[in-house]
Amino acid sequence: MFSGNLVPSHEEVSGIFTTINNELNVSSVEDRLFVATVKNIGKTIKLFCVKCEQAAKADADASQIVAYPTEAQKQNVQIVNILADFQDGLNRLVGDTNNKKVDVLLEEGKDIKGQMVATVAPLLSSIEDASEAIFLTAHKEDFGQEGEVKQPTTSLYIKELQSFLERISKDFLQNFSCKNFIEAELRPLAEKIIHQFILHASLIRPLGSAGAQKLGSDCAQIEFSLSLLLGPTGYSSSGPTGLNTIGSTYQLLRAFRSMIFMKLEDFQAYTGLGSIVPHSVCLHLMISRCPEVMPSPQATLGWGVARYARWLQKHDEREKLLLIQGSLESYVAAARNKKEKNYIPEYPVLLSILQQGLDVNQLE
């Protein structure tokens, strides 16, 4: 079946289970023979997974997403699809066999799902990296405009993201026949994309009133963009669909959108602070609306946005808050040096939310 590094066909996998069923039927007349047969089937399952692992590609050709799928990527899709066929065959075998001794085969079958995940990982990782690169370009756009906008225009980076995800869905993801599996793998990816968006959206500076309307529109467009991966958001007879399948992260996106339009006094009273929206996200968003005298956290360190974003992704909430605290302290020191009589109106609210966050995220 695996000669010449070829991926087995659906018919060949069906043939395996026809043979297995015949062996189980023959051996069922004697208990020790039946147990020995089940052990050999377990070895067959492991061997099948090993052969699929050897046939899978994990090089640059398997992870590229700038062109049409390569032969390596097409082979990986075939491997995932045939592993899914094998898993279905195994589930039917165990379900149809009236002997509990075959249940041990489901434990052996755990390697199947693991190999499917490993085979699709290079593609999903590249999609995540490309999405983050697109979000970085948001900082090149102008969000500092003031005033009212009747119809906010869609940001260029959002248009690029939508075009990118539409192409990925059409050229790469539609080739997977195991829809339930690929949808389950796309949910964590969608969550990561939402977190990337919120991270970068909260760091956009300056953020004027018209820019806030534009950013709020971007939040709605992100929902549409992710429907290209997860399908329409709603509910069906089998449960939630689309973004509703990633409840807490979707809730964060909706909450962040409403927070964009909050007034200064509303931030401190927001009940979802800390439970839905992290304190660090709220503080970043508030700083983006502050006068220039309040330095951005990355500016106090002499970092660019890209480096700061990478740092945020690698550190916990308390570490983020402590770094933001350094930004506020830098502002206070500068104000004292200039002998300013009053702090900016945002400062007391920033300090209060920072302290609240530090209290919640105390070291254990």
Side-chain angles (χ1 to χ4, degrees):
M1 288 173 64
F2 287 89
S3 60
N5 250 5
L6 296 176
V7 181
S9 66
H10 175 74
E11 290 72 23
E12 287 175 312
V13 170
S14 296
I16 287 180
F17 286 100
T18 299
T19 302
I20 288 174
N21 272 310
N22 290 338
E23 293 296 323
L24 288 174
N25 289 333
V26 170
S27 63
S28 62
V29 297
E30 207 281 320
D31 191 57
R32 286 180 299 173
L33 181 58
F34 188 84
V35 170
T37 301
V38 169
K39 286 183 179 179
N40 276 339
I41 295 170
K43 293 177 182 178
T44 300
I45 295 170
K46 287 188 176 295
L47 179 60
F48 190 88
C49 288
V50 168
K51 290 293 185 181
C52 284
E53 181 182 9
Q54 292 172 347
K57 306 296 183 182
D59 54 12
D61 281 347
S63 59
Q64 74 81 32
I65 48 174
V66 296
Y68 288 107
T70 62
E71 290 305 313
Q73 288 172 320
K74 291 176 182 177
Q75 181 158 312
N76 280 357
V77 170
Q78 290 177 320
I79 290 170
V80 172
N81 288 340
I82 210 63
L83 281 165
D85 278 351
F86 196 90
Q87 181 72 72
D88 290 342
L90 180 60
N91 291 340
R92 285 194 300 271
L93 170 73
V94 174
D96 294 342
T97 304
N98 295 320
N99 192 317
K100 293 296 182 182
K101 289 185 174 65
V102 299
D103 289 353
V104 69
L105 296 178
L106 293 178
E107 188 67 26
E108 302 285 359
K110 289 182 178 179
D111 290 343
I112 301 173
K113 173 72 177 297
Q115 187 53 51
M116 291 171 70
V117 171
T119 304
V120 80
L123 174 63
L124 299 185
S125 179
S126 292
I127 297 172
E128 180 186 347
D129 291 344
S131 298
E132 183 167 21
I134 292 171
F135 288 133
L136 270 170
T137 65
H139 302 282
K140 298 178 181 179
E141 298 192 36
D142 184 10
F143 284 87
Q145 315 98 312
E146 298 290 349
E148 292 292 326
V149 180
K150 290 184 178 179
Q151 186 64 43
T153 57
T154 301
S155 300
L156 294 177
Y157 75 96
I158 292 291
K159 290 180 179 179
E160 184 180 359
L161 181 72
Q162 289 174 351
S163 176
F164 167 68
L165 293 181
E166 187 173 12
R167 180 176 63 83
I168 290 297
S169 179
K170 178 183 175 183
D171 293 346
F172 291 84
L173 302 179
Q174 286 187 3
N175 297 321
F176 291 95
S177 60
C178 44
K179 299 304 180 185
N180 289 338
F181 165 76
I182 201 65
E183 286 173 7
E185 291 303 297
L186 287 172
R187 286 176 202 135
L189 173 63
E191 290 187 279
K192 291 174 182 176
I193 290 175
I194 288 175
H195 283 289
Q196 286 175 354
F197 166 71
I198 289 174
L199 185 154
H200 285 282
S202 66
L203 295 177
I204 287 173
R205 190 177 188 190
L207 183 64
S209 55
Q213 293 177 62
K214 182 179 177 182
L215 191 59
S217 176
D218 289 348
C219 289
Q221 292 299 321
I222 281 287
E223 292 191 31
F224 171 74
S225 301
L226 292 176
S227 71
L228 298 169
L229 295 181
L230 301 182
T233 298
Y235 292 92
S236 68
S237 57
S238 57
T241 62
L243 287 171
N244 281 337
T245 60
I246 53 173
S248 60
T249 304
Y250 184 33
Q251 190 179 14
L252 169 62
L253 176 62
R254 303 297 293 270
F256 179 77
R257 185 184 183 187
S258 65
M259 188 171 276
I260 291 171
F261 303 104
M262 283 185 184
K263 296 179 181 179
L264 179 62
E265 59 270 19
D266 296 333
F267 282 99
Q268 207 167 353
Y270 177 55
T271 56
L273 191 59
S275 57
I276 300 175
V277 180
H279 292 86
S280 60
V281 171
C282 177
L283 290 167
H284 283 138
L285 185 60
M286 288 185 66
I287 290 173
S288 71
R289 292 158 56 167
C290 286
E292 289 185 9
V293 292
M294 173 63 71
S296 298
Q298 67 271 22
T300 58
L301 298 169
W303 293 354
V305 174
R307 182 178 177 183
Y308 184 49
R310 287 195 300 271
W311 186 92
L312 289 171
Q313 290 172 323
K314 294 178 181 177
H315 292 78
D316 62 29
E317 180 68 1
R318 182 172 178 81
E319 291 173 309
K320 296 173 187 177
L321 293 173
L322 289 173
L323 194 147
I324 295 171
Q325 183 178 38
S327 184
L328 299 190
E329 290 172 350
S330 176
Y331 160 71
V332 170
R336 286 175 178 171
N337 287 336
K338 294 178 182 178
K339 294 183 170 53
E340 299 281 354
K341 294 183 178 180
N342 297 303
Y343 294 135
I344 58 174
E346 294 87 351
Y347 175 73
V349 183
L350 284 166
L351 188 62
S352 176
I353 292 175
L354 172 66
Q355 191 56 56
Q356 181 186 339
L358 289 171
D359 290 343
V360 171
N361 294 276
Q362 290 180 1
L363 291 174
E364 296 182 358

